[in-house]
Amino acid sequence: MRSESEMFNLILKFAREDERIRAVYMNGSRANPKVPKDIFQDYDIVYVVTETLDFIDNQEWIQFFGDLIMMQEPDRNHFGDVSQIDIQSSYGFLMLFEDGNRIDLRIQTIAETLTTYGKDSLTVPLLDKDNLLPKIHPPSDRDYFVQKPTQLEYDSYTNNFWWCLQNVAKGMWRNQLPYSKLMFEHTIRKALDQMIAWWIGIQYDFRVSVGMFNKYFKDFLPENYWKMYEQTYANSNAEHMWESIFVSCELFRSLAQEVAERFQFTYPMDDDRNMTAFLKQVKDLPKDAKGIN
C-alpha cells in the first residue's frame, strides 16, 4: 500500500504538471488533526481547474493515480433528479485503488472555488499556482461540534421517539420485519442518537464532534452507556428486537432526563410511562387478539 507521503506526492505532481489545474486543497479527516490516522482514511482532494468538461469527457488521466478496483461518479448518480446538477462548475470522482488507497477527488472551477472555499472549517490549502485561494483559519472541526438543543428541538425529538415506538410495536405484532426495522432505524434511532449527541456535548461544553454518522460515540460514552447502545442493534429475531426496543427506551430515558435538567427543559414522563406500558402490552399480545385490552 502506498504511504501517505507517496499519495500526496502523486496528487501534487499531477496538479503541478497539468496546466488546467490552478490550485489544490484538502478537506475531510486528513485535514483534522484530532483524527487518528489509519489505512482507510480517504484523501478528500479538490482540484481547482480552468474548466471541468475535459476531465469528465476524457478520463484517461485517472490512470496516473493507479489501477482502480472501482470508481463512483456521484454527480451521475442523480437517481432521476437532475435539477441540482451543474457539472460545468463542479464534479466528483470517488476512486478506490487496488492497493486500498482511496481518493475522493472533486474538480471545480475557479469561480466555484471563490464562492465555496473555506466554508468548511476542515480545509487545508496544498497548492496555489496563482495565489487565488483566500486566506483562511487553520483547520479545525469547529463546524462539526454538537450544537446545544433548543426547547423546540428537545421537545420534538422526545415526542417523536415515544410516539413512533407504537409504529415499531404494531409492525412487530404484525410480523412486518421491514416496516418495524426501518421505523426503528430511521426514526427511533435518529432521536436516540441526537439525545446521545446532546448528552456528549454537555460533557465537553459543546466543543466536540461525534463524527459523521456518530462514529465516535464509543470514544465519548461511558462503558455502561456504550454497552446499552450496542444492545440497541438487534438481528431479525423478534425477541432480540424487543430487547433492543426496551434498552433503547432505558438509555433514552436516562440521557434525556439529564439533558432536560441541564437546560431546564421538561422531560415528558407521562409519555414515557404510558408508551412503555403500551409496548409491554403489545409485546405480550396474542397474534389472534381482537383488541388491545
Side-chain angles (χ1 to χ4, degrees):
M1 186 177 198
R2 289 167 292 179
S3 68
E4 181 182 67
S5 62
E6 289 176 305
M7 292 301 295
F8 276 122
N9 287 338
L10 193 69
I11 290 164
L12 292 175
K13 175 179 171 60
F14 183 84
R16 289 190 183 102
E17 295 178 355
D18 193 319
E19 285 300 308
R20 299 172 296 176
I21 302 171
R22 308 312 303 164
V24 184
Y25 64 93
M26 177 173 65
N27 302 123
S29 66
R30 289 186 184 274
N32 188 351
K34 295 180 181 179
V35 174
K37 295 183 183 300
D38 67 35
I39 60 174
F40 287 106
Q41 278 185 293
D42 309 335
Y43 294 85
D44 294 295
I45 303 295
V46 179
Y47 279 170
V48 183
V49 300
T50 52
E51 60 91 22
T52 63
L53 293 182
D54 272 357
F55 292 91
I56 299 169
D57 293 339
N58 182 359
Q59 299 183 6
E60 291 183 3
W61 58 272
I62 293 172
Q63 299 172 10
F64 181 87
F65 298 99
D67 295 323
L68 286 167
I69 291 177
M70 184 176 174
M71 183 174 74
Q72 183 182 78
E73 297 171 62
D75 298 294
R76 288 191 189 275
N77 289 1
H78 49 71
F79 301 102
D81 180 9
V82 298
S83 60
Q84 302 300 318
I85 297 175
D86 179 12
I87 65 173
Q88 295 190 49
S89 295
S90 178
Y91 195 82
F93 300 90
L94 312 184
M95 301 175 286
L96 177 64
F97 297 96
E98 288 184 354
D99 68 347
N101 277 301
R102 173 175 158 178
I103 301 176
D104 288 0
L105 177 63
R106 179 154 292 276
I107 55 172
Q108 62 182 203
T109 61
I110 295 171
E112 180 72 12
T113 299
L114 295 177
T115 300
T116 61
Y117 180 74
K119 288 189 175 180
D120 184 341
S121 63
L122 288 175
T123 300
V124 177
L126 300 178
L127 176 68
D128 191 354
K129 296 177 181 178
D130 308 315
N131 295 316
L132 62 88
L133 297 178
K135 298 295 183 183
I136 58 173
H137 293 291
S140 163
D141 62 349
R142 61 184 175 274
D143 285 354
Y144 301 90
F145 288 169
V146 177
Q147 300 298 303
K148 295 179 181 179
T150 65
Q151 175 79 65
L152 179 59
E153 287 173 324
Y154 178 85
D155 290 346
S156 297
Y157 276 102
T158 52
N159 179 267
N160 217 39
F161 179 86
W162 290 111
W163 170 257
C164 289
L165 279 168
Q166 53 91 21
N167 291 325
V168 180
K170 72 182 181 184
M172 293 289 292
W173 184 79
R174 291 169 173 168
N175 197 26
Q176 296 172 338
L177 178 65
Y179 175 85
S180 52
K181 271 289 190 183
L182 285 170
M183 181 60 66
F184 183 88
E185 293 298 339
H186 285 265
T187 306
I188 303 306
R189 189 169 301 284
K190 181 179 179 181
L192 176 62
D193 284 0
Q194 183 61 73
M195 199 60 64
I196 293 172
W198 285 333
W199 185 89
I200 291 172
I202 291 171
Q203 315 312 309
Y204 292 86
D205 196 27
F206 289 91
R207 298 184 62 81
V208 66
S209 166
V210 294
M212 182 182 291
F213 303 128
N214 308 305
K215 60 185 177 182
Y216 300 135
F217 272 180
K218 186 177 181 180
D219 297 336
F220 295 114
L221 285 173
E223 184 176 1
N224 62 321
Y225 282 162
W226 174 250
K227 292 296 184 185
M228 292 174 70
Y229 187 71
E230 284 183 315
Q231 294 170 39
T232 68
Y233 287 90
N235 56 23
S236 60
N237 178 275
E239 190 63 33
H240 294 167
M241 288 176 65
W242 276 113
E243 290 171 1
S244 74
I245 290 168
F246 287 115
V247 76
S248 297
C249 293
E250 183 181 354
L251 181 58
F252 187 87
R253 178 183 302 115
S254 298
L255 300 183
Q257 287 181 303
E258 291 191 46
V259 172
E261 182 178 357
R262 167 66 172 77
F263 292 103
Q264 297 183 320
F265 298 156
T266 299
Y267 178 71
M269 185 55 75
D270 285 346
D271 291 343
D272 178 335
R273 186 180 300 110
N274 293 339
M275 188 56 70
T276 300
F278 177 81
L279 292 173
K280 292 178 179 177
Q281 191 174 18
V282 175
K283 178 180 181 295
D284 296 329
L285 194 65
K287 294 302 182 184
D288 59 351
K290 302 302 181 184
I292 299 296
N293 296 320

